[in-house]
Amino acid sequence: MNKKLVLVSGGAGYIGSHTAVELIEAGYQVVIADNLSNADMSGVEGVRAITGVDVPFINVDCCDKEAFARLFDQYDFDSVIHFAAFKAVGESVEDPMKYYRNNLLSFMNIVDLMRQKGRSNIVFSSSATVYGEADILPVTEATPRKPATSAYGNTKQMCEDILRDAVAAYPTLKGIALRYFNPIGAHPSALIGELPRGVPQNLVPYITQTAAGIRECLSVFGDDYPTEDGSCLRDYIDIVDLAKAHVAAISRMVDNKNKERYEIFNVGTGRAVSVFELVKTFERVNNLKLNYKVAPRRAGDVVAVWADTTLANTELGWVAERPLEKTLQAAWAWEKRVRNIK
Ligand code: UFG
């Protein structure tokens, strides 16, 4: 078994491509599997360009168990990081079965195949969405999960439980669930970044597209929340820092440093930033004015969530390093490169 080989499902996407880069730079070999349902080959090409490694890419749907099983026969990786999933919260409310079918089946296939083929380490992409509107902030990994308010959020909770139960039952498996806060930014090379299809649902892509003139005006959803400036508070984590947390999680299992066979870590900065603060920082560090207006609250938004990162800091030895200023400069540099703006 090649302990240094990692399968990255969904590796053509935003978080997957950045993680592939950091794995390679840390000395791992990577195989990317993706069905390109919400990404194109530019992410994979970007990974290859940044690292100078001709990373293998397999076009496969993780829901297709037979096709997926062949990949396990072809490559002797001992670790998988599972990113491949649908992630649009609103769409998941309108078409929950699409989310349950895809997000649960692909993950169950991975867990089954890892066990059947004698492979060990599974990292699952979870989300701070599992905390909902928490009673006490910041949230620790011990903070109770709240009932999910979308099928998307529910699949995150359900996959965490699948991993927990599978690891408990099958002694050869180990698992880590990483609960991401709000991933933003792009690789400093501007060769990979976030490229949402259609109208962006998330704040930073909407900001960069507005700055690029693709969107007319950013709507700030709500200025009457019980926060200092009335807008929501989030924990925005730089994508490269987030990617490095995956390397730390894989190393922990490969090197047998995990304390339990199933573990959960928050991956955030520990800092709460309001929507207005984010917009103003973006304007300042990129020296531009953003067209924005206050709009009604968006259904389903929590007022505030940010991470207690003590566990990741002490156990994973991982700390978010990149300041928000650099992250927002990188986000804009990426948007400019994609749109050919000088
Ligand atoms: N926001 C705006 N205008 C926009 C987009 C977002 O004001 O055009 C605000 C939101 O209201 C929120 C903040 O910016 O206060 C961040 O919104 P995002 O959509 O970027 O991120 P969320 O915190 O809503 O999303 C995160 C994760 C999802 C997860 C969700 C659960 O990205 O994976 O939390 O609510 F499902």
Side-chain angles (χ1 to χ4, degrees):
M1 196 61 52
N2 185 347
K3 299 262 182 202
K4 280 288 184 185
L5 182 58
V6 182
L7 174 68
V8 180
S9 82
Y14 175 47
I15 307 178
S17 59
H18 287 80
T19 299
V21 167
E22 296 309 314
L23 283 167
I24 291 165
E25 293 191 341
Y28 287 90
Q29 293 154 268
V30 165
V31 176
I32 291 177
D34 202 301
N35 68 351
L36 302 180
S37 70
N38 191 29
D40 56 34
M41 281 302 285
S42 63
V44 177
E45 281 151 16
V47 173
R48 291 174 178 158
I50 293 166
T51 60
V53 174
D54 192 18
V55 179
F57 168 77
I58 289 85
N59 188 330
V60 65
D61 185 342
C62 305
C63 292
D64 180 346
K65 196 170 181 186
E66 274 175 30
F68 201 32
R70 286 196 287 277
L71 209 149
F72 280 72
D73 297 331
Q74 202 178 343
Y75 296 96
D76 64 347
F77 51 83
D78 197 30
S79 304
V80 62
I81 308 181
H82 180 58
F83 294 105
F86 293 149
K87 61 171 186 178
V89 178
E91 184 190 44
S92 83
V93 175
E94 284 153 27
D95 193 358
M97 289 314 293
K98 175 176 171 178
Y99 277 68
Y100 288 123
R101 196 175 304 111
N102 185 66
N103 293 8
L104 298 182
L105 189 55
S106 60
F107 190 58
M108 288 192 290
N109 283 344
I110 286 196
V111 174
D112 277 343
L113 286 166
M114 291 293 283
R115 182 169 64 94
Q116 287 158 8
K117 307 277 183 187
R119 317 298 169 86
S120 175
N121 310 322
I122 304 173
V123 174
F124 174 65
S125 293
S126 191
S127 166
T129 192
V130 302
Y131 297 116
E133 191 81 74
D135 299 324
I136 300 168
L137 289 163
V139 291
T140 73
E141 291 78 357
T143 298
R145 299 185 316 190
K146 286 278 169 79
T149 54
S150 70
Y152 161 80
N154 211 14
T155 65
K156 291 296 174 196
Q157 299 205 6
M158 292 163 98
C159 287
E160 283 191 354
D161 294 347
I162 289 168
L163 185 57
R164 180 200 60 204
D165 294 350
V167 164
Y170 311 124
T172 54
L173 290 184
K174 294 197 272 193
I176 291 182
L178 297 179
R179 290 178 176 163
Y180 313 151
F181 284 70
N182 287 57
I184 61 165
H187 194 266
S189 65
L191 290 170
I192 50 174
E194 191 172 12
L195 202 54
R197 288 185 179 166
V199 181
Q201 305 297 309
N202 296 110
L203 180 59
V204 169
Y206 208 104
I207 288 176
T208 56
Q209 289 197 10
T210 305
I214 298 159
R215 309 287 154 203
E216 207 173 308
C217 182
L218 169 76
S219 294
V220 173
F221 297 138
D223 69 346
D224 56 352
Y225 284 101
T227 61
E228 214 165 287
D229 67 18
S231 65
C232 293
L233 298 174
R234 295 287 183 276
D235 184 334
Y236 296 94
I237 173 78
D238 183 275
I239 188 68
V240 175
D241 281 333
L242 175 63
K244 287 179 174 165
H246 295 80
V247 180
I250 289 289
S251 306
R252 183 173 174 86
M253 291 191 283
V254 167
D255 299 337
N256 279 320
K257 297 227 170 85
N258 47 304
K259 292 207 172 128
E260 309 284 341
R261 286 178 31 253
Y262 172 64
E263 298 176 313
I264 301 171
F265 296 102
N266 283 344
V267 187
T269 66
R271 188 167 161 243
V273 173
S274 77
V275 178
F276 286 123
E277 189 183 347
L278 192 111
V279 168
K280 281 174 190 147
T281 308
F282 181 85
E283 292 185 317
R284 176 169 56 78
V285 299
N286 293 309
N287 201 19
L288 48 77
K289 278 270 157 244
L290 195 76
N291 199 12
Y292 69 90
K293 61 169 195 252
V294 173
R297 294 180 177 193
R298 180 171 71 177
D301 275 343
V302 298
V303 180
V305 63
W306 70 94
D308 181 321
T309 62
T310 309
L311 202 63
N313 299 159
T314 55
E315 288 297 319
L316 285 182
W318 169 92
V319 184
E321 283 171 346
R322 281 172 63 80
L324 184 62
E325 286 78 6
K326 283 256 180 293
T327 306
L328 292 175
Q329 283 172 336
W332 180 226
W334 158 252
E335 188 75 47
K336 282 198 293 186
R337 195 186 76 79
V338 171
R339 311 294 167 192
N340 264 320
I341 298 168
K342 293 287 161 231

